[in-house]
Amino acid sequence: MLAVLAAVALGACASLGPRGSVPEVRSLAPYLDGELSAAVRASTPQGTPAAYSGFQLLHDGPHALDARLAVIDAARRSLDVQYYIFACDSSGRQVMRALRAAVRRGVRVRLLLDDLNLGEAEDALLRIGSMAGFEVRLFNPLPARGGSVASRIVRSVHALRRINHRMHNKLLIADGVVSISGGRNVADEYFMRSKNENFIDMDVLAVGAVVPQQAAVFDSYWNSEHSYPITALRPPAPSAGAARGPVAALDLVPGERDAFGNWPLRYQIAMRMLDLVWARAQVLADPPEKVRGRAAGPLVSDRIQALAAGARSELFIGSPYFVPRREDIDVLRRVRQRGVEVTLVTNAAGATDEPLVHARYVVYRDVMLDLGVNLYEMSPQLTARFNTLGSFMASRGSLHSKLAAVDERWFYVGSMNFDRRSALLNTESGLLIDSPTLVSRFMELVHADKLRSAYHVSRDERGRTRWTEYGLDGRETVLLKEPNMDWMRKAVSWLWLQLVDEDWL
């Protein structure tokens, strides 16, 4: 308690300076003479309705990184980039170098980042932010500047409400004609490049009608009063020196296809043959004002809840964190009463990177089993054993995808976790796509794994919770004790849960 009080006293000295006069800047018109536009035109079937968009799922980590680098390299007029985390690791430096190269060839770059996780990247961003044509803004910044993430939080603890509301969106738009959005941030673990932990994730590349709508959402965040130019928070760096640290070579084998049979995107762009599924879609996005509390109008969580409520036959949910609200449980109860098959895939105790959230999920695990939900928990050991969802090698595998599939027709992919933090505190975004073809492609990936990378959680004839895992030979092993969970971890989680509001999880 004394340490906390001392931190509060020190933090009181840190205050957020004035934002100053910040000019409103809008997205540039789509660039129709570039390589990206040419690839889109060549890949659009004749007679495609103007209201349609083209989509390509990006599941494999290396291909998802290649896709980002490919569209950045091909951009000729503008790049608008928005992320919750942009790490100063090998992947982050590689993407940043590509952005710097784009600026040098005359591309306007706008980089909007949530402020919470900057850490050591802040100094590099200050250097880059002084480049002409490269502007960096930080969303909902903390009063304390410089130092590690933990120290900034401690020194800003007097502004707890500001700390607790974050911009969780992920979006990249190139030349106003191609976008990449979904669950991935920019860091090694999202692209299968970390030695310790790698995420199973999903992005979607989009062209067509949704891209201008996504650009309008980006503009609303860029011009929000909650977005500060980085140079308004700290003095500008003297120069935009080169980003420091080694950069690993892009780890794609030339000619290698991804899980959906697609070539790396840079090859598709060069050949002007984008493998796209055309469909109607809706752009879902929370307003930036959500950081001040619940904003007016339906939020992303409300839209997905309504989608789930309308399910008639099948509902599939993938989320690394699952802490439902009471109304979410009511929706699941009603659809189960109508006979809808509900499947939920989340993380097991050994796979989660948020033990406290998992501890609260355990309470709702029993509720899901009572409702008859098909429940699966991703296992780090099983993902490495089967390698059907990625090449994990010696690293721990963990689910990070945020998606839903409904009635073999509707497919949602975005940044929203199915938890209370995403519903109530963070801003979120995503795409809701009306495409049986896209749902079918995704379910083929699920069926290829047969969910063997996860424990099947159920109850035995005596009502005990059990975890069933499958071996390479198909044999079942039934566990009656939760894997990777011991009494110490339970005790620590229980103690923290007494102190943390469930709506923060």
Side-chain angles (χ1 to χ4, degrees):
M1 183 61 68
L2 288 173
V4 171
L5 291 174
V8 172
L10 290 172
C13 299
S15 60
L16 194 62
R19 181 170 177 261
S21 177
V22 180
E24 184 174 282
V25 181
R26 295 288 171 180
S27 297
L28 298 178
Y31 185 57
L32 303 181
D33 296 327
E35 188 177 8
L36 291 174
S37 291
V40 171
R41 283 194 299 270
S43 306
T44 304
Q46 189 172 6
T48 299
Y52 275 43
S53 302
F55 302 100
Q56 181 177 143
L57 296 180
L58 302 172
H59 163 70
D60 296 24
H63 282 73
L65 178 57
D66 169 76
R68 286 163 170 80
L69 294 172
V71 299
I72 292 172
D73 291 344
R76 290 298 177 268
R77 174 175 288 177
S78 65
L79 286 162
D80 293 330
V81 185
Q82 180 181 18
Y83 282 104
Y84 172 60
I85 295 174
F86 199 116
C88 196
D89 59 10
S90 179
S91 297
R93 289 192 292 271
Q94 193 165 2
V95 174
M96 189 61 72
R97 280 185 166 89
L99 292 173
R100 285 164 50 86
V103 170
R104 292 194 182 100
R105 62 176 182 267
V107 178
R108 188 191 75 174
V109 176
R110 294 188 294 173
L111 177 60
L112 177 60
L113 302 177
D114 184 81
D115 183 61
L116 182 67
N117 292 288
L118 285 189
E120 61 183 278
E122 185 170 358
D123 290 336
L125 289 170
L126 278 166
R127 293 194 300 272
I128 291 166
S130 65
M131 290 182 66
F134 197 141
E135 187 174 358
V136 180
R137 294 187 183 182
L138 304 180
F139 191 83
N140 204 22
L142 275 58
R145 311 308 309 169
S148 68
V149 175
S151 73
R152 290 180 60 225
I153 291 175
V154 169
R155 289 182 288 128
S156 302
V157 72
H158 59 290
L160 183 59
R161 183 177 181 83
R162 180 175 288 274
I163 295 173
N164 208 25
H165 290 75
R166 309 314 319 161
M167 182 192 75
H168 199 234
N169 311 39
K170 291 97 173 169
L171 177 64
L172 188 159
I173 303 175
D175 278 351
V177 296
V178 174
S179 73
I180 297 175
S181 61
R184 285 185 175 91
N185 294 294
V186 177
D188 284 345
E189 56 267 30
Y190 297 94
F191 305 114
M192 294 291 175
R193 304 176 96 185
S194 171
K195 295 180 180 179
N196 301 317
E197 178 181 38
N198 285 292
F199 290 130
I200 301 163
D201 220 323
M202 185 70 74
D203 294 319
V204 60
L205 176 139
V207 305
V210 299
V211 179
Q213 299 172 44
Q214 291 176 309
V217 172
F218 180 92
D219 285 346
S220 71
Y221 278 82
W222 183 260
N223 295 304
S224 166
E225 62 179 310
H226 306 292
S227 294
Y228 285 59
I230 190 170
T231 51
L233 298 168
R234 287 180 62 184
S239 67
R244 300 170 184 173
V247 175
L250 185 60
D251 45 0
L252 269 179
V253 178
E256 179 185 358
R257 295 175 182 259
D258 67 7
F260 299 109
N262 295 325
W263 298 104
L265 187 65
R266 63 180 62 251
Y267 297 168
Q268 297 181 49
I269 294 172
M271 298 299 293
R272 297 188 178 180
M273 295 178 60
L274 304 181
D275 185 3
L276 301 171
V277 175
W278 292 87
R280 291 183 180 273
Q282 304 169 37
V283 175
L284 308 183
D286 292 332
E289 290 74 26
K290 186 182 177 185
V291 296
R292 286 188 170 175
R294 185 175 176 86
L299 303 177
V300 176
S301 57
D302 299 325
R303 299 286 297 276
I304 300 305
Q305 185 186 92
L307 176 71
R312 298 180 178 180
S313 60
E314 185 177 5
L315 171 61
F316 182 100
I317 297 173
S319 178
Y321 321 114
F322 186 76
V323 184
R325 298 166 294 172
R326 180 178 299 176
E327 54 265 39
D328 298 326
I329 296 173
D330 289 341
V331 166
L332 294 177
R333 180 177 292 108
R334 289 197 299 272
V335 299
R336 285 294 300 133
Q337 289 171 347
R338 296 202 305 267
V340 174
E341 182 178 354
V342 179
T343 301
L344 169 63
V345 183
T346 188
N347 277 319
T352 185
D353 60 338
E354 295 288 352
L356 189 58
V357 178
H358 180 82
R360 178 52 65 185
Y361 150 74
V362 168
V363 175
Y364 296 103
R365 179 168 59 201
D366 288 336
V367 177
M368 295 301 104
L369 294 176
D370 289 342
L371 293 177
V373 170
N374 298 318
L375 184 57
Y376 293 86
E377 295 178 357
M378 199 62 62
S379 159
Q381 293 83 14
L382 298 180
T383 51
R385 177 186 299 174
F386 291 101
N387 276 333
T388 50
L389 298 177
S391 180
F392 294 91
M393 294 180 286
S395 71
R396 185 181 73 161
S398 179
L399 180 70
H400 195 261
S401 305
K402 304 97 163 42
L403 48 84
V406 180
D407 294 342
E408 300 181 349
R409 174 183 174 183
W410 295 98
F411 189 66
Y412 165 79
V413 59
S415 67
M416 187 198 78
N417 297 303
F418 290 76
D419 62 11
R420 299 192 178 199
R421 170 162 287 279
S422 283
L424 303 173
L425 301 177
N426 293 345
T427 67
E428 307 290 353
S429 62
L431 290 170
L432 178 57
I433 307 168
D434 183 359
S435 173
T437 301
L438 213 59
V439 173
S440 176
R441 288 193 180 184
F442 167 70
M443 293 310 297
E444 285 176 7
L445 178 67
V446 174
H447 294 151
D449 182 68
K450 299 178 182 178
L451 291 175
R452 294 175 301 175
S453 296
Y455 300 110
H456 182 206
V457 187
S458 59
R459 290 202 176 110
D460 64 12
E461 62 281 357
R462 295 171 56 183
R464 297 176 299 181
T465 302
R466 62 183 179 185
W467 289 259
T468 303
E469 65 174 78
Y470 300 90
L472 293 170
D473 57 1
R475 293 185 181 181
E476 298 182 2
T477 301
V478 177
L479 309 173
L480 293 178
K481 180 182 178 182
E482 184 171 6
N484 302 114
M485 179 63 77
D486 55 32
W487 69 267
M488 178 62 77
R489 184 170 177 176
K490 287 183 178 179
V492 172
S493 296
W494 178 89
L495 178 61
W496 274 108
L497 286 174
Q498 310 314 304
L499 303 174
V500 178
D501 190 328
E502 184 172 83
D503 286 347
W504 292 9
L505 301 177

